[in-house]
Short mmCIF file of all heavy atoms in Angstrom, two decimals:
data_model
loop_
_atom_site.label_atom_id
_atom_site.label_comp_id
_atom_site.label_asym_id
_atom_site.label_seq_id
_atom_site.Cartn_x
_atom_site.Cartn_y
_atom_site.Cartn_z
N THR V 46 30.51 -3.68 67.41
CA THR V 46 30.79 -4.94 68.03
C THR V 46 32.28 -5.14 68.30
O THR V 46 32.62 -5.94 69.13
CB THR V 46 30.24 -6.09 67.21
OG1 THR V 46 30.89 -6.07 65.92
CG2 THR V 46 28.77 -6.00 67.03
N GLY V 47 33.13 -4.48 67.46
CA GLY V 47 34.54 -4.61 67.62
C GLY V 47 35.02 -5.99 67.13
O GLY V 47 36.13 -6.41 67.42
N THR V 48 34.23 -6.68 66.33
CA THR V 48 34.64 -7.93 65.81
C THR V 48 34.53 -7.92 64.28
O THR V 48 33.80 -7.14 63.65
CB THR V 48 33.72 -9.07 66.33
OG1 THR V 48 32.39 -8.79 65.89
CG2 THR V 48 33.78 -9.19 67.79
N LYS V 49 35.32 -8.75 63.66
CA LYS V 49 35.28 -8.91 62.24
C LYS V 49 35.04 -10.45 61.98
O LYS V 49 35.51 -11.28 62.68
CB LYS V 49 36.58 -8.46 61.61
CG LYS V 49 36.75 -7.01 61.63
CD LYS V 49 37.85 -6.58 60.71
CE LYS V 49 37.98 -5.12 60.71
NZ LYS V 49 37.74 -4.59 59.40
N ILE V 50 34.37 -10.66 60.89
CA ILE V 50 34.15 -12.06 60.46
C ILE V 50 35.37 -12.54 59.70
O ILE V 50 35.80 -11.90 58.73
CB ILE V 50 32.87 -12.19 59.65
CG1 ILE V 50 31.66 -11.74 60.39
CG2 ILE V 50 32.76 -13.58 59.04
CD1 ILE V 50 30.38 -11.72 59.60
N ILE V 51 35.96 -13.58 60.18
CA ILE V 51 37.16 -14.11 59.54
C ILE V 51 36.86 -15.57 59.12
O ILE V 51 36.45 -16.40 59.97
CB ILE V 51 38.38 -14.11 60.47
CG1 ILE V 51 38.72 -12.67 60.88
CG2 ILE V 51 39.60 -14.79 59.78
CD1 ILE V 51 39.68 -12.62 62.00
N ARG V 52 37.00 -15.80 57.83
CA ARG V 52 36.74 -17.15 57.33
C ARG V 52 37.95 -18.04 57.69
O ARG V 52 39.06 -17.75 57.32
CB ARG V 52 36.54 -17.09 55.82
CG ARG V 52 36.01 -18.35 55.26
CD ARG V 52 35.78 -18.26 53.75
NE ARG V 52 36.54 -19.35 53.20
CZ ARG V 52 37.32 -19.26 52.19
NH1 ARG V 52 37.58 -18.12 51.61
NH2 ARG V 52 37.89 -20.34 51.72
N VAL V 53 37.64 -19.20 58.28
CA VAL V 53 38.69 -20.11 58.65
C VAL V 53 38.73 -21.22 57.52
O VAL V 53 37.74 -21.82 57.18
CB VAL V 53 38.39 -20.79 59.89
CG1 VAL V 53 39.43 -21.81 60.25
CG2 VAL V 53 38.37 -19.78 61.07
N ASP V 54 39.91 -21.31 56.92
CA ASP V 54 40.10 -22.25 55.79
C ASP V 54 40.79 -23.48 56.38
O ASP V 54 42.01 -23.48 56.68
CB ASP V 54 40.88 -21.60 54.77
CG ASP V 54 40.74 -22.38 53.38
OD1 ASP V 54 40.15 -23.41 53.39
OD2 ASP V 54 41.17 -21.83 52.42
N THR V 55 40.03 -24.60 56.41
CA THR V 55 40.67 -25.87 56.91
C THR V 55 41.33 -26.64 55.80
O THR V 55 42.04 -27.59 56.08
CB THR V 55 39.58 -26.75 57.50
OG1 THR V 55 38.56 -27.00 56.54
CG2 THR V 55 38.94 -26.10 58.73
N HIS V 56 41.18 -26.16 54.59
CA HIS V 56 41.80 -26.85 53.45
C HIS V 56 43.30 -26.61 53.39
O HIS V 56 44.07 -27.55 53.04
CB HIS V 56 41.15 -26.31 52.19
CG HIS V 56 41.72 -26.84 50.91
ND1 HIS V 56 41.55 -28.13 50.48
CD2 HIS V 56 42.54 -26.26 49.96
CE1 HIS V 56 42.18 -28.31 49.33
NE2 HIS V 56 42.76 -27.14 49.02
N ILE V 57 43.81 -25.43 53.74
CA ILE V 57 45.24 -25.08 53.68
C ILE V 57 46.09 -26.01 54.49
O ILE V 57 47.09 -26.45 53.95
CB ILE V 57 45.39 -23.60 54.03
CG1 ILE V 57 44.68 -22.69 53.05
CG2 ILE V 57 46.84 -23.26 54.11
CD1 ILE V 57 45.13 -22.76 51.65
N PRO V 58 45.87 -26.33 55.76
CA PRO V 58 46.72 -27.23 56.47
C PRO V 58 46.91 -28.56 55.86
O PRO V 58 48.01 -29.16 55.84
CB PRO V 58 46.08 -27.35 57.90
CG PRO V 58 45.30 -26.09 58.05
CD PRO V 58 44.79 -25.76 56.63
N GLN V 59 45.81 -29.13 55.25
CA GLN V 59 45.89 -30.38 54.59
C GLN V 59 46.76 -30.31 53.39
O GLN V 59 47.60 -31.16 53.08
CB GLN V 59 44.51 -30.91 54.21
CG GLN V 59 43.62 -31.25 55.38
CD GLN V 59 42.16 -31.44 54.91
OE1 GLN V 59 41.77 -31.02 53.89
NE2 GLN V 59 41.43 -32.17 55.79
N VAL V 60 46.59 -29.24 52.58
CA VAL V 60 47.37 -29.02 51.39
C VAL V 60 48.87 -28.84 51.76
O VAL V 60 49.66 -29.39 51.08
CB VAL V 60 46.85 -27.79 50.56
CG1 VAL V 60 47.74 -27.38 49.46
CG2 VAL V 60 45.43 -28.03 50.10
#
Side-chain angles (χ1 to χ4, degrees):
T46 60
T48 60
K49 289 190 176 246
I50 298 173
I51 300 172
R52 191 178 127 229
V53 176
D54 197 350
T55 57
H56 175 71
I57 296 299
Q59 293 170 339
V60 169

